[in-house]
């Protein structure tokens, strides 16, 4: 803790070395004092509303409408470029600004209204056009309306009995997604995030290839199972090896090339090496859109190797899957995905569905059920009024499952296939614009590689380092600057762009364009603002 | 499929043997034709709204407000006893009633409004006072408002950077929950459902007791790991053995007594039996509130055995955990939970938080991190502006994590501790009322056991079987009646109560009172309606 405080103090000095205007020029329009319930209900409590009081429809409606007024104002604020993206405070300071205590006694309704507004006042506006920080950016209005409805319907997805419309929607949308991947038939499920989706793929693969594993574990196998993924893959793939009992040393990290793509010949070499040790290679997870660089592994080459060595071929397209919707960008990036056994694809990323919305698709039907069912007859009975093939509870490891379909269905219906394709093409076009602008300002910015997706990796070059030839020493200096500029962004509240190191280089910026709110002007702003914030470094 | 159709036909004949009034006497007030956007925006599409058109605040607001009007009407409908709970249609018929297709072209905004209303028209009203079907019933108004806000904030929970207020709320609420359990210190996380929470417990236990397992898997251990849970436990416990590579045969199902409680002496016998085989017992999952009978395992006795044999003691209180909030009902049911190593507790069940809201708590701090971190430095950097101990991304197997805290925090704030305690006591009081009413009508109803929780297990006795002494033959007949009455309920749309078989008996009804909407009159209605629907059987 002491060393943290020391580092923090040095860091704070650097961050605040110069006065960075910003905070003063931007506004925070959500003001908790603006939202007032009528005197009649302000001091009521939740016990005075539905369902406790049958006649409390008007009071309930007024309270909910007041919450909605805050939300509608927040939607406007998110779309206003003059708004701060965030009001940054350190955790200990933020605690003092907020009143988070839960008391013995109920809070009056007016207090709850203030709580809602205060929460949004200090929340980071992930839908702001200057938020380039995360793979999930943006605030899709239709998907948001869908999520509001989902909350109000408040049902679980395990049976047709209690979620008839939503279960049918899942069938329609997931079947459509499998068609787009290039599967005929198959099966799918919506899961709570890409990591759990990848876990489903791992489990299905193990079950398909070693059906006795479910009951007996590794006993009886002639060697240890091992799996393969690139050193650029999402860490959840390696996590499968830990969670599922292989041990992380049996998740082999295949080297990637300088573009971040798995080197297929290295995959083959490592499979042979593990086989020579008596291990059983059974699962390869290729990545279509890596987290940092946005790279696509060579799917066809990997598919060939999987066929040759009888491995399950999984594609983690959590991030890049959205490009399947674009005729222009799908090939060559995702060519070969139709040869896979399973695909993770997160609509909450490129497609902008609200969090969370992640899907896992299988070429073979029936595997989810045979892999995951525990024969909980007491929950999923077969003597029902309706055709129980629509029940999903026995196919998943979760039992209860959140309804993640309605927001996606409504959004897709609102856009149509044409709209989603145009959205993908637009995000890629804006990315190309950013690349062009970075290249045009090569004195100030250093593009690390030509992106295949909407991740743009670059360094900002401060004045003192301009004109000096690029070298690893220079990279180290450029890397040190990223956290300082990021800290200044957050304090100014004007911009959010992420940075991170990777295996090859120290910290660098990685901007993400996955929000429909972003325009060319916003891209220009991002680069200008980084320059402004880094002028003295 | 043929045998299904044959069964279905016989079943349908029985269901419709008599004309059951019901559908005609109840209304479905959500009518899609009632919701009209103004002519000005009805034919616009989502491309005409924010964020695509900067000046489209009014249009965006009108569209969203219209969705909200539907939701507010649905809230009223859920609380109206004259409303049908559901409009049942078989899946193939429902498909014909709905237009679920996603087209090439965008749907106009008015169509999306109709879609929202139609979806709710055919959705099961899980918040209706006559819905006794699921562990999660009810529609808490405050929690719903919280979930609306959560959708609008649309952020991920992995770092303080992008979810500052929500991360601090998680700390406040989860720490409070650990205090209530009886832990001092410790660590917790919100997970997508009780099954994943149980998985977290299993993983932490394995990691704590065998720290090399994460990297090396079972190699080097002197025997196979094995785990124990009762034959009444939730199937997700057994699923851990499958998912995590032990094999389900190493999840030992400990017999329960006639009340559904684990027999502690049997646990000890089975631990010894497995040890004698050279296996390593390491994990015991007790259940506090079983799914079907609502039974509580004897926690103190199990804790003693876990201490004696050095096993991790997990309590799956997903269902019964809410009673920790009640001084009156906490003891003796949950006595001993403070001796556990981990506790699953789902606020989306007894506490009525919106789906999903599940928590897992650990007595020891630091385990979640050391167990689950994959050192994804590229995502969770340590050179940040703020104290990174608030970041949670590296503690979970999910990476991205839905914000499940705000709805719970707001709800708890609205109720206060006093309000939650009163809610628990009220649910138990209503359950006792139901038991009393069943006993008073012992000609018509057969109570299977005295409940410890809000699950009431009973048979309905049709006229032809009244007065006949109870026997296993009679049970078989009673069991056959449940699916028919259930089918009639669904077709009449008047009531929802679940049924299932268990190890000891054929189908029986299990009603659940976990909704704040339920009153004594609703309990009376449930029993009267079952009698009405079963009069000729």
């Amino acid at each position: 803790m002491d060393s943290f405080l020391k580092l923090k103090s040095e860091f704070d000095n650097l961050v605040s070395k110069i006065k960075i205007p910003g905070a003063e020029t931007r506004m925070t329009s959500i003001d908790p004092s603006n939202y007032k319930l009528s005197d009649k209900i302000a001091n009521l409590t939740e016990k005075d509303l539905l369902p406790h009081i049958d006649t409390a429809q008007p009071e309930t409606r007024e309270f909910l409408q007041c919450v909605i007024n805050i939300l509608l104002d927040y939607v406007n604020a998110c779309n206003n470029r003059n708004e701060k993206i965030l009001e940054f405070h350190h955790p200990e300071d933020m605690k003092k600004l907020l009143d988070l205590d839960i008391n013995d006694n109920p809070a009056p309704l007016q207090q709850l209204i203030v709580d809602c507004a205060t929460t949004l006042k200090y929340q980071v506006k992930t839908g702001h056009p200057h938020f380039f920080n995360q793979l999930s950016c943006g605030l899709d209005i239709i998907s948001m309306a869908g999520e509001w409805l989902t909350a109000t319907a408040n049902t679980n997805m395990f049976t047709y009995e209690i979620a008839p419309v939503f279960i049918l929607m899942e069938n329609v949308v997931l079947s459509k997604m499998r068609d787009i991947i290039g599967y005929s038939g198959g099966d799918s499920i919506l899961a709570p995030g890409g990591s759990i989706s990848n876990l489903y793929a791992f489990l299905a693969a193990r079950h398909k290839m070693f059906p006795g594993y479910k009951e007996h574990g590794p006993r009886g196998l002639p060697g240890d199972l091992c799996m393969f993924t690139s050193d650029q893959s999402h860490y959840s793939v390696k996590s499968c090896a830990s969670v599922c009992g292989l041990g992380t040393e049996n998740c082999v990290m295949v080297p990637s090339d300088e573009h971040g793509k798995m080197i297929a010949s290295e995959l083959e070499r490592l499979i042979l090496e593990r086989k020579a040790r008596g291990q059983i290679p059974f699962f390869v997870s290729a990545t279509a859109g890596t987290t940092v660089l946005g790279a696509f592994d060579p799917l066809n080459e990997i598919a060939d190797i999987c066929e040759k060595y009888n491995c399950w071929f999984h594609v983690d397209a959590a991030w890049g899957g959205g490009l399947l919707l674009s005729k222009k960008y799908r090939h060559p990036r995702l060519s070969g995905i139709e040869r896979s056994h399973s695909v993770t694809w997160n609509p909450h990323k490129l497609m902008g569905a609200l969090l969370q919305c992640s899907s896992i698709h299988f070429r073979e039907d029936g595997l989810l059920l045979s892999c995951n069912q525990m024969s909980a007859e007491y929950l999923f009975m077969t003597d029902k009024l309706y055709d129980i093939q629509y029940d999903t509870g026995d196919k998943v490891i979760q039992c209860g499952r959140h309804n993640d379909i309605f927001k996606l269905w409504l959004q897709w219906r609102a856009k149509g296939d044409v709209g989603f394709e145009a959205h993908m093409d637009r995000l890629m076009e804006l990315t190309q614009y950013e690349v062009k602008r970075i290249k045009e300002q090569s004195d100030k910015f250093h593009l690390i590689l030509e992106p295949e997706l909407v991740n743009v990796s670059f360094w900002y070059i401060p004045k003192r380092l301009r004109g000096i030839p690029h070298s690893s020493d220079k990279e180290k200096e450029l890397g040190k600057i990223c956290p300082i500029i990021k800290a200044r962004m957050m304090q100014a509240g004007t911009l959010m762009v992420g940075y991170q190191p990777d295996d090859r280089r120290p910290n660098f910026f990685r901007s993400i364009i996955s929000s429909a709110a972003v325009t060319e002007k916003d891209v220009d702003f991002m680069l200008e603002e980084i320059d402004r914030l880094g002028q003295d470094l």
Side-chain angles (χ1 to χ4, degrees), chain A:
Chain A
M1 196 62 193
D2 276 354
S3 68
F4 168 73
L5 288 176
K6 185 162 166 288
L7 276 172
K8 182 174 178 309
S9 153
E10 283 171 22
F11 186 77
D12 289 350
N13 282 342
L14 262 173
V15 169
S16 55
K17 212 172 87 185
I18 58 162
K19 176 91 188 103
I20 299 289
E24 318 78 56
T25 64
R26 302 288 163 119
M27 63 184 186
T28 300
S29 62
I30 299 289
D31 177 350
S33 68
N34 282 348
Y35 304 95
K36 298 279 186 210
L37 295 171
S38 67
D39 290 347
K40 195 175 144 239
I41 81 158
N43 288 313
L44 299 182
T45 72
E46 64 97 26
K47 284 290 281 180
D48 302 305
L49 303 183
L50 292 174
H52 310 290
I53 307 291
D54 273 350
T55 54
Q57 275 96 342
E59 293 82 359
T60 304
R61 195 176 269 258
E62 183 188 336
F63 170 76
L64 290 173
Q65 184 63 53
C66 190
V67 173
I68 285 297
N69 293 344
I70 300 170
L71 302 186
L72 293 173
D73 289 349
Y74 185 77
V75 169
N76 285 345
C78 283
N79 284 282
N80 182 344
R81 289 171 176 77
N82 294 320
E83 285 272 341
K84 290 170 90 168
I85 299 183
L86 78 164
E87 277 265 342
F88 180 77
H89 299 279
H90 285 282
E92 297 306 320
D93 302 330
M94 185 72 98
K95 282 183 197 170
K96 288 173 202 151
L97 288 168
L98 301 171
D99 165 19
L100 298 180
D101 289 345
I102 289 163
N103 300 312
D104 283 350
N105 290 313
L109 297 181
Q110 181 61 46
Q111 180 62 50
L112 301 179
I113 292 294
V114 169
D115 290 342
C116 287
T118 307
T119 298
L120 288 181
K121 176 179 176 183
Y122 293 109
Q123 173 51 19
V124 177
K125 299 187 184 78
T126 55
H128 194 290
H130 299 158
F131 183 85
F132 301 89
N133 203 66
Q134 232 73 31
L135 303 190
S136 300
C137 305
L139 181 59
D140 186 282
I141 294 294
I142 309 297
S143 192
M144 182 184 74
E147 191 72 344
W148 289 354
L149 184 146
T150 298
T152 307
N154 193 33
T155 199
N156 224 316
M157 292 294 285
F158 34 60
T159 59
Y160 178 84
E161 180 173 315
I162 58 161
V165 182
F166 301 122
I167 289 277
L168 295 179
M169 280 176 179
E170 254 188 16
N171 281 341
V172 168
V173 174
L174 294 176
S175 157
K176 183 179 179 79
M177 291 175 83
R178 288 196 302 276
D179 286 348
I180 291 169
I181 290 169
Y183 291 168
S184 58
D187 197 7
S188 315
I189 204 84
L190 287 161
S195 299
I196 304 286
S197 291
N198 286 337
L199 181 67
Y200 272 113
F202 175 96
L203 292 173
R206 188 170 69 180
H207 180 66
K208 170 73 178 175
M209 300 177 80
F210 311 98
Y213 211 106
K214 179 177 174 181
E215 188 177 347
H216 308 301
R219 280 164 297 285
L221 292 186
D224 290 339
L225 300 186
C226 61
M227 58 190 282
F228 300 81
T229 191
S230 93
D231 58 14
Q232 299 290 308
S233 71
H234 190 264
Y235 69 91
S236 61
V237 178
K238 186 174 163 193
S239 173
C240 289
S242 162
V243 167
C244 301
L246 266 57
T248 51
E249 67 187 7
N250 290 319
C251 179
V252 183
M253 309 310 275
V254 181
S256 55
D257 66 18
E258 60 187 0
H259 300 102
K261 294 166 172 292
M262 186 194 284
I263 303 171
S265 58
E266 286 291 289
L267 171 63
E268 181 160 24
R269 182 181 68 76
L270 288 162
I271 288 177
L272 289 169
E273 187 185 301
R274 291 284 172 149
K275 279 172 80 86
R277 288 202 224 165
Q279 295 193 344
I280 307 171
F282 83 108
F283 183 76
V284 176
S285 178
T287 313
T290 61
T291 309
V292 177
L293 300 177
F296 287 79
D297 287 347
L299 302 185
N300 270 313
E301 290 176 53
I302 295 169
D304 290 343
I305 294 168
C306 286
E307 280 172 16
K308 187 167 169 188
Y309 296 100
N310 193 31
C311 287
W312 181 282
F313 174 35
H314 173 63
V315 179
D316 178 358
W319 177 217
L323 289 196
L324 289 165
L325 302 167
S326 163
K327 286 185 284 293
K328 182 168 174 189
Y329 293 101
R330 172 177 179 141
H331 303 290
R333 291 170 183 77
L334 289 146
S335 300
I337 197 169
E338 69 286 356
R339 296 171 64 190
S340 66
H341 296 93
S342 54
V343 171
T344 292
W345 174 1
N346 286 8
H348 72 218
K349 293 201 165 92
L350 271 188
M351 292 166 74
L354 254 67
L355 290 160
Q356 286 184 332
C357 192
S358 170
S359 61
I360 171 74
H361 307 273
F362 294 93
R363 195 202 299 172
E364 181 175 333
D365 193 11
L367 267 183
L368 271 173
L369 188 65
S370 67
C371 174
N372 297 315
Q373 76 176 346
M374 291 289 136
S375 298
E377 169 79 9
Y378 67 91
L379 286 179
F380 309 115
M381 296 86 71
T382 50
D383 54 355
K384 284 189 175 175
L385 171 62
Y386 59 90
D387 183 356
I388 55 154
Q389 64 159 309
Y390 289 93
D391 291 353
T392 64
D394 226 9
K395 296 206 292 197
V396 297
I397 59 172
Q398 304 163 247
C399 187
R401 205 158 51 86
H402 187 259
N403 170 4
D404 289 331
I405 192 61
F406 185 72
K407 60 191 160 211
L408 174 61
W409 177 84
L410 194 71
Q411 186 195 19
W412 209 326
R413 186 124 158 132
K415 284 192 191 311
D417 293 338
V418 166
F420 256 135
E421 176 160 31
H423 179 55
M424 294 303 142
D425 291 350
R426 172 70 176 144
L427 296 176
M428 292 296 281
E429 185 183 291
L430 280 164
T431 305
Q432 286 312 310
Y433 177 78
E434 181 182 344
V435 166
K436 178 169 93 63
R437 294 293 294 134
I438 285 176
K439 287 180 178 169
E440 285 167 1
Q441 304 172 72
S442 64
D443 56 328
K444 290 181 186 170
F445 295 98
H446 179 104
L447 182 73
I448 291 174
L449 81 175
E450 288 287 338
E452 292 186 279
L453 194 49
V454 298
N455 314 41
V456 180
S457 302
F458 63 92
W459 280 295
Y460 170 68
I461 308 171
K463 283 190 188 123
R464 67 181 163 97
L465 295 171
R466 288 178 197 164
I468 298 172
H470 199 78
S471 69
S472 71
D473 279 349
K474 184 173 171 182
E475 280 189 4
K476 275 183 207 149
E477 284 300 302
L478 297 175
K480 285 182 199 160
I481 286 168
C482 300
I484 301 167
I485 294 183
K486 176 66 178 274
R488 289 178 174 178
M489 287 178 194
M490 289 176 71
Q491 293 194 329
T494 48
L495 180 66
M496 291 277 279
V497 185
Y499 71 89
Q500 69 290 300
D502 71 5
D503 296 342
R504 288 192 167 79
R505 46 189 84 80
N507 283 326
F508 56 97
F509 285 113
R510 177 209 61 174
S511 68
I512 296 291
I513 301 179
S514 72
S515 163
V518 176
T519 65
E520 282 79 359
K521 277 192 184 162
D522 299 313
V523 172
D524 287 339
F525 173 82
M526 173 189 3
L527 299 175
E528 285 158 17
E529 183 68 0
I530 289 175
D531 186 29
R532 188 178 76 91
L533 295 171
Q535 53 184 281
D536 65 316
L537 295 176

